[in-house]
Amino acid sequence: ETGVTQTPRHLVMGMTNKKSLKCEQHLGHNAMYWYKQSAKKPLELMFVYNFKEQTENNSVPSRFSPECPNSSHLFLHLHTLQPEDSALYLCASSPEGGGNIQYFGAGTRLSVL
Amino acid sequence: AQSVSQHNHHVILSEAASLELGCNYSYGGTVNLFWYVQYPGQHLQLLLKYFSGDPLVKGIKGFEAEFIKSKFSFNLRKPSVQWSDTAEYFCAVRPYDGGGSQGNLIFGKGTKLSVKP
C-alpha cells in the first residue's frame, strides 16, 4: 500500500462514452501527476498539479481533461477516446512539484473499444 | 530532447545468477537518478535513488546501482537474483536546468526480468 489509491482498477469504455478516473493520496503531498503507461514505451507524463494548480500539460489531447479540486484528489475525465488510448493510467504524488520521490498508485487499466 | 535508454527489453536469468541492467541518459547537466520496480500486478515502487555523494548507492532487497557521470550511466546490479525479483525495472532521470530548477522525471521503457526457479 503506497498511500495513493486509484479507482477503478479496470475500465472498459466505448469511444462515445464519458468516464472519469479518480486518484486519492493520503500522504499529505502537494504535487500530483497523471502518467500513461503503454507496452514497450516509456511512461509518458501527462499532467502535473502543484498545490492544486496545473503546472504541466504535456501536449495531451483535449479528450483527456484533468481536475484537481484539492491537494489530495486528482481526476482524469475521459470523453470520445480512441482505441489507441487503451493503456494503464498511473497517478503519482510527491511532497512538492518537480518530482523528488514520487509515490505511485496501482493504476487504472483502460480499454477503449 | 532528454531521454533515458534501457538496453534490454527482457532479461531471463536462473536463480542465483548475477544481474546487471543498463541505463543511460542523454543530459549533460546535473541529474537525480532513480530505479523503480513494478512487480506483477503491483504499483511502481522506488528501488533506489542517487542525488549526490557516493556514486555507488544501495537500495532495498540487495540491489545497488552505480552512477558513472562520464558514461551518463546508472546501471542496476544484484549479485544473486531470486525468483521473487521477477518484475519490470524502470530507470528514471530528473534533470536540473541551468537555473537550478528541477525538471520532471523522465523514464526509460523498462526492462522485464524473469527469474527461473
Side-chain angles (χ1 to χ4, degrees):
Chain A
E1 186 60 49
T2 63
V4 181
T5 304
Q6 289 187 244
T7 54
R9 291 295 307 273
H10 301 273
L11 178 62
V12 180
M13 60 187 289
M15 289 191 285
T16 59
N17 292 156
K18 290 185 180 180
K19 297 286 184 183
S20 296
L21 310 185
K22 179 182 176 181
C23 176
E24 183 174 3
Q25 57 96 359
H26 309 277
L27 301 169
H29 290 167
N30 293 309
M32 296 187 77
Y33 310 78
W34 279 118
Y35 287 89
K36 178 182 178 182
Q37 186 178 20
S38 305
K40 300 182 182 180
K41 294 176 70 175
L43 263 72
E44 300 172 51
L45 179 65
M46 300 174 73
F47 301 104
V48 181
Y49 278 82
N50 201 16
F51 292 93
K52 301 188 299 179
E53 299 296 320
Q54 188 181 126
T55 56
E56 183 103 17
N57 177 340
N58 205 19
S59 302
V60 181
S62 59
R63 57 185 183 270
F64 294 90
S65 174
E67 178 190 2
C68 188
N70 54 61
S71 293
S72 298
H73 293 86
L74 185 65
F75 295 89
L76 188 63
H77 304 300
L78 315 171
H79 64 98
T80 60
L81 294 192
Q82 304 298 312
E84 59 264 29
D85 297 322
S86 298
L88 182 68
Y89 288 85
L90 296 175
C91 174
S93 71
S94 66
E96 77 292 327
N100 211 343
I101 297 172
Q102 294 184 16
Y103 296 80
F104 286 82
T108 295
R109 173 71 63 188
L110 173 66
S111 297
V112 182
L113 304 180
Chain B
Q2 297 138 5
S3 64
V4 177
S5 298
Q6 292 184 240
H7 314 301
N8 307 101
H9 175 60
H10 191 184
V11 173
I12 302 172
L13 296 173
S14 298
E15 276 195 314
S18 64
L19 170 72
E20 181 159 3
L21 301 181
C23 173
N24 287 89
Y25 62 93
S26 62
Y27 183 71
T30 303
V31 293
N32 292 159
L33 299 156
F34 307 81
W35 276 97
Y36 280 84
V37 59
Q38 189 173 32
Y39 296 102
Q42 296 190 29
H43 58 271
L44 270 169
Q45 55 186 290
L46 185 68
L47 199 56
L48 50 77
K49 64 186 186 298
Y50 172 80
F51 286 175
S52 63
D54 189 344
L56 184 62
V57 294
K58 296 190 184 299
I60 59 172
K61 304 186 181 186
F63 285 91
E64 65 177 33
E66 185 175 12
F67 171 46
I68 303 179
K69 190 174 181 180
S70 61
K71 294 185 178 181
F72 302 94
S73 70
F74 190 55
N75 292 355
L76 181 70
R77 299 194 292 250
K78 185 170 183 178
S80 175
V81 295
Q82 300 173 309
W83 177 79
S84 58
D85 293 324
T86 295
E88 193 158 12
Y89 293 80
F90 295 88
C91 181
V93 173
R94 187 184 64 191
Y96 281 73
D97 66 21
S101 296
Q102 301 167 349
N104 289 308
L105 278 180
I106 303 167
F107 284 86
K109 292 184 181 182
T111 297
K112 186 176 179 181
L113 172 65
S114 298
V115 180
K116 298 183 293 184

